[in-house]
């Protein structure tokens, strides 16, 4: 009788243990499946977020590049105009043709000012040659108005006498009909001990 009771108890315990094990295994399997679903769902969300982020980054980079390209083109045009204007101001064989050669780079007001100044001056036999040019572009909030400071070294010949000079030429440009025009020009002489005089 005792043996039978023990056997029944052992069988019952084994059955309960198996049932519990099966239940735990099922729960663990379900938990693992849910975890897989969560992971997959999270992975998909992360992929979507990453794709969106890359798309936004690409779009913003494209906008930046377009802005940079526009800025580079405008700056190139500005620097080319500035170079040609400085060349016209400091490389000439006659003062009579000098102003006409740079007229296309000036606003109407600036041209009128320079025309009046040249009419008031002496019309000596003057020639000039640009020796060197350093250019400094100022940063400005208004992109339609830009300022350039030019450090110019030139050799001016007056009645067979050559004079070397260094000067700062500050030029304010403004955009007019999609072209950069000099609206104001300020000249400041640079004191120098190495100004050379000579006979040609």
């Amino acid at each position: 009788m005792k043996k039978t009771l023990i056997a029944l108890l052992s069988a019952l315990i084994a059955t309960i243990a198996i049932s519990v094990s099966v239940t735990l295994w099922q729960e663990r399997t379900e938990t693992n499946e849910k975890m897989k679903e969560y992971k997959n769902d999270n992975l998909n969300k992360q992929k979507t977020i990453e794709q969106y982020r890359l798309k936004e980054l690409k779009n913003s980079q494209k906008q930046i590049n377009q802005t940079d390209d526009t800025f580079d083109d405008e700056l190139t045009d500005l620097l080319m105009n500035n170079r040609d204007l400085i060349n016209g101001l400091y490389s000439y064989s006659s003062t009579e043709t000098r102003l006409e050669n740079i007229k296309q780079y000036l606003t109407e007001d600036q041209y009128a000012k320079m025309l009046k100044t040249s009419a008031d001056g002496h019309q000596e036999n003057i020639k000039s040659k640009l020796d060197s040019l350093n250019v400094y572009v100022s940063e400005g909030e208004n992109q339609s108005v830009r300022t350039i400071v030019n450090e110019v070294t030139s050799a001016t010949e007056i009645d067979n006498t050559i004079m070397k000079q260094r000067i700062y030429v500050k030029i304010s440009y403004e955009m007019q009909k999609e072209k950069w025009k000099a609206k104001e020009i300020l000249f400041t002489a640079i004191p120098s001990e190495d100004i050379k005089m000579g006979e040609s």
Side-chain angles (χ1 to χ4, degrees):
M1 186 76 178
K2 264 186 181 181
K3 287 182 181 178
T4 305
L5 191 55
I6 289 169
L8 283 172
L9 280 173
S10 296
L12 184 61
I13 289 170
T15 303
I16 291 170
I18 290 169
S19 297
V20 169
S21 296
V22 169
T23 303
L24 288 174
W25 179 80
Q26 286 176 339
E27 285 179 359
R28 192 169 69 180
T29 303
E30 286 175 6
T31 303
N32 285 339
E33 287 298 321
K34 283 182 181 177
M35 286 299 293
K36 271 187 184 177
E37 285 178 17
Y38 289 142
K39 282 181 181 177
N40 287 335
D41 187 47
N42 192 43
L43 193 61
N44 288 333
K45 284 178 180 175
Q46 288 297 326
K47 282 181 181 177
T48 304
I49 290 169
E50 185 64 16
Q51 286 172 352
Y52 180 76
R53 190 184 70 81
L54 289 172
K55 185 179 176 183
E56 286 300 305
L57 186 64
K58 190 176 179 181
N59 287 339
S60 60
Q61 189 63 42
K62 188 177 179 182
Q63 288 173 358
I64 290 168
N65 288 339
Q66 286 173 345
T67 305
D68 287 347
D69 290 344
T70 304
F71 177 75
D72 287 345
D73 290 343
E74 286 183 0
L75 188 59
T76 300
D77 291 342
L78 174 62
L79 290 173
M80 286 175 66
N81 275 22
N82 181 75
R83 179 200 62 198
D84 293 341
L85 175 55
I86 293 295
N87 271 324
L89 279 171
Y90 288 96
S91 289
Y92 55 87
S93 56
S94 165
T95 53
E96 293 172 3
T97 58
R98 178 190 185 205
L99 192 55
E100 286 306 310
N101 290 339
I102 63 172
K103 183 178 180 179
Q104 61 182 312
Y105 306 109
L106 307 173
T107 62
E108 289 181 8
D109 289 345
Q110 182 59 37
Y111 175 73
K113 285 180 195 174
M114 294 185 77
L115 184 62
K116 185 177 185 302
T117 303
S118 64
D120 292 342
H122 298 291
Q123 296 298 317
E124 297 130 321
N125 184 21
I126 302 174
K127 297 178 183 177
S128 180
K129 179 187 172 189
L130 180 67
D131 280 345
S132 67
L133 173 64
N134 293 316
V135 177
Y136 309 94
V137 181
S138 301
E139 292 295 329
E141 292 180 9
N142 188 349
Q143 295 299 314
S144 63
V145 177
R146 302 304 297 261
T147 300
I148 291 182
V149 176
N150 300 276
E151 185 182 351
V152 176
T153 305
S154 67
T156 304
E157 181 183 335
I158 304 173
D159 296 327
N160 297 326
T161 300
I162 297 174
M163 181 180 70
K164 295 275 187 180
Q165 65 175 346
R166 290 174 64 228
I167 194 165
Y168 285 126
V169 185
K170 182 181 178 183
I171 306 177
S172 294
Y173 290 91
E174 70 178 8
M175 186 68 80
Q176 288 188 357
K177 296 179 182 177
E178 299 183 356
K179 288 186 178 179
W180 289 105
K181 301 275 188 176
K183 70 170 187 170
E184 186 178 21
I185 304 177
L186 298 173
F187 301 91
T188 306
I190 304 172
S192 177
E193 295 176 0
D194 62 351
I195 293 177
K196 297 176 182 176
M197 304 287 287
E199 296 291 322
S200 64

